[in-house]
């Protein structure tokens, strides 16, 4: 059976950085995210008896080496669950730059999980899909359910999965991704996670996490944008402080990244209520209410060096395309 799925990328407001169990990708802390309407991966999967190996094409290029191995490992998990040993053809397309800190592994593994399991004849629940996607890439588990999502740490593999806190239409907030660098990053997130514990600030980060998660969930529930924004911005700075103080240090920012961050703070002083968050890459995500997104766009047009702007609303999770 040929199956195609579309999976959104997601932006975390409370970040996943550091794992309790590396192999099983069980995170050290709970994270909270929103699925993105305009940054997604579409993946087609077919298990075919005529194939003598797995064929994997991403963005028009045949994938080899470590990247292929990671995808083949995931296909092996699916094959094991389905009790088949057929090789697969996988064709995947991102509508945004891969490997630039925009969670292409999240949407990529979510799409592969949903298309792959269906193509293998499995009918998994949302929870099972989220657990399986997590084994491919941690943040992928958050791209499975709809809208605003929580991924609770969990103790063992079966209880570390994401679920929807609110539907996409619940709150009219936008994430404007400001692309300032499109090169793949030097240090992958998977490697970065392993360095988190070496920062002297990591313990403090984890100690404050439960309170932060509780507070942002309450801000989401009450649609308190000011509280929501302040927490997500502090959280991004907190995570990047851990990154920059790891051994060896990880600097994901470019000079433009800092310029945009400072602009956001200035706009806020001018009463344009915006907040920033940044993942493991140089691009800045500007969070605002949708009523203000036009103003943000106009401001960004005046900043030289902004390569691209992608405006997202909250979106549904991963689904099969007919
Ligand atoms: C997040 N990031 O919560 C954080 C913020 C990047 C910075 O999840 O090793 O690619 O595949 O489980 O999911 C990136 O980590 O790591 C990530 P793996 P993943 O979105």
């Amino acid at each position: 059976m040929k199956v195609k799925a579309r999976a959104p990328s997601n932006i975390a407001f409370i970040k996943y950085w550091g794992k309790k169990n590396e192999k099983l990708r069980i995170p050290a802390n709970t994270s909270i995210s929103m699925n993105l309407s305009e940054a997604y991966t579409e993946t087609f999967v077919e298990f075919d008896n005529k194939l003598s190996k797995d064929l994997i094409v991403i963005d028009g290029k045949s994938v080899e080496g470590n990247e292929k191995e990671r995808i083949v490992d995931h296909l092996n998990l699916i094959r094991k669950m389905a009790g088949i040993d057929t090789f697969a053809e996988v064709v995947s397309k991102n509508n945004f730059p891969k490997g630039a800190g925009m969670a292409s592994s999240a949407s990529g593994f979510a799409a592969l999980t949903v298309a792959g399991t269906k193509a293998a004849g499995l009918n998994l629940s949302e929870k099972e899909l989220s657990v399986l996607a997590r084994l491919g890439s941690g943040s992928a588990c958050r791209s499975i359910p709809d809208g605003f999502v929580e991924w609770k740490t969990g103790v063992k593999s079966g209880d570390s999965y994401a679920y929807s806190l609110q539907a996409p239409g619940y709150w009219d907030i936008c994430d404007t991704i400001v692309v300032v660098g499109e090169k793949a990053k030097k240090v992958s997130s998977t490697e970065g996670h392993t360095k988190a514990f070496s920062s002297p600030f990591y313990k403090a980060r984890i100690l404050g996490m439960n309170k932060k998660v509780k507070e942002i969930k309450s801000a989401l529930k009450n649609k308190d944008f000011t509280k929501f924004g302040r927490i997500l911005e502090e959280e991004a700075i907190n995570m990047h402080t851990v990154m920059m103080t790891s051994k060896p240090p990880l600097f994901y920012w470019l000079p433009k990244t800092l310029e945009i961050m400072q602009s956001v703070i200035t706009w806020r002083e001018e009463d344009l209520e915006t907040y920033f968050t940044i993942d493991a890459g140089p691009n800045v995500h500007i969070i605002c209410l949708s009523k203000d997104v036009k103003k943000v766009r106009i401001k960004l047009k005046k900043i030289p060096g902004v390569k691209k702007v992608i405006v997202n609303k909250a979106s549904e999770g991963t689904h099969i395309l007919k």
Side-chain angles (χ1 to χ4, degrees):
M1 191 177 15
K2 293 181 188 187
V3 181
K4 196 174 181 186
R6 179 188 286 185
S9 176
N10 67 73
I11 181 66
F13 301 126
I14 302 295
K15 312 286 193 185
Y16 152 52
W17 198 246
K19 303 174 196 180
K20 280 200 281 212
N21 182 320
E22 250 175 64
K23 191 164 179 284
L24 293 176
R25 295 188 147 84
I26 298 179
N29 62 273
T30 293
S31 53
I32 306 279
S33 64
M34 177 179 103
N35 285 326
L36 302 178
S37 60
E38 308 307 319
Y40 54 81
T41 302
E42 287 183 358
T43 300
F44 152 98
V45 181
E46 183 177 23
F47 290 93
D48 184 346
N49 284 323
K50 292 194 280 300
L51 294 173
S52 55
K53 60 177 184 170
D54 291 316
L55 297 178
I56 296 151
V57 175
I58 301 180
D59 292 334
K61 281 192 199 133
S62 175
V63 172
E64 298 299 333
N66 290 347
E67 196 180 1
K68 177 170 182 179
E69 219 170 277
R70 192 166 164 189
I71 295 166
V72 169
D73 283 350
H74 205 62
L75 289 170
N76 286 340
L77 285 178
I78 294 172
R79 280 188 276 256
K80 198 171 166 198
M81 286 174 92
I84 58 172
D85 54 11
T86 327
F87 290 108
E89 184 186 4
V90 176
V91 181
S92 190
K93 250 192 187 159
N94 296 296
N95 76 334
F96 58 93
K98 189 160 72 90
M102 282 169 59
S104 63
S105 71
S107 51
F109 277 97
L112 179 66
T113 300
V114 169
T117 51
K118 196 82 180 163
L122 292 164
N123 266 315
L124 302 188
S125 65
E126 182 184 280
K127 175 179 163 182
E128 289 167 327
L129 288 167
S130 182
V131 167
L132 183 57
R134 190 203 77 232
L135 293 169
S137 179
S139 51
C141 77
R142 296 190 309 236
S143 289
I144 299 285
D146 289 340
F148 297 86
V149 168
E150 175 168 23
W151 171 18
K152 277 224 169 94
T153 42
V155 177
K156 52 187 193 317
S157 186
D159 57 25
S160 185
Y161 62 94
Y163 51 89
S164 182
L165 289 172
Q166 299 291 351
Y170 173 74
W171 202 9
D172 235 0
I173 64 175
C174 288
D175 171 14
T176 301
I177 307 174
V178 187
V179 180
V180 297
E182 294 187 289
K183 276 197 205 136
K185 56 198 170 210
K186 284 192 196 124
V187 180
S188 72
S189 298
T190 302
E191 197 187 333
H193 280 287
T194 67
K195 310 275 183 265
F197 307 94
S198 65
S199 162
F201 303 116
Y202 188 71
K203 250 194 194 149
R205 168 171 170 74
I206 294 298
L207 277 176
M209 218 21 122
N210 283 347
K211 185 167 175 267
K212 211 184 318 189
V213 167
K214 217 171 143 191
E215 281 176 2
I216 204 163
K217 278 171 73 176
S218 136
L220 174 66
K221 199 169 172 195
N222 299 323
K223 296 188 185 168
D224 181 342
F225 185 61
T226 301
K227 188 172 163 195
F228 191 78
R230 290 207 179 278
I231 298 171
L232 74 88
E233 192 173 286
E234 277 171 25
E235 161 61 1
I237 298 167
N238 180 309
M239 180 186 71
H240 279 272
T241 303
V242 166
M243 290 165 159
M244 288 185 226
T245 51
S246 294
K247 295 175 187 64
L250 291 173
F251 294 96
Y252 286 113
W253 299 351
L254 291 172
K256 264 296 154 199
T257 313
L258 190 60
E259 190 184 328
I260 308 283
M261 290 159 73
Q262 285 171 326
S263 301
V264 166
I265 293 168
T266 307
W267 301 342
R268 213 156 57 219
E269 285 161 4
E270 294 165 357
D271 271 348
L272 175 58
E273 194 172 12
T274 49
Y275 300 90
F276 62 77
T277 184
I278 306 158
D279 277 347
N283 302 317
V284 183
H285 294 245
I286 300 180
I287 312 299
C288 68
L289 292 167
S290 64
K291 70 174 176 65
D292 289 328
V293 79
K294 249 193 195 152
K295 285 185 210 153
V296 169
R297 273 197 121 130
I298 293 167
K299 294 261 192 204
L300 285 169
K301 278 214 171 101
K302 293 185 193 140
I303 302 180
V306 170
K307 291 185 196 294
K308 204 197 239 174
V309 163
I310 307 167
V311 179
N312 296 275
K313 291 189 164 196
S315 87
E316 58 183 334
T318 307
H319 56 280
I320 306 267
L321 294 173
K322 298 279 176 232

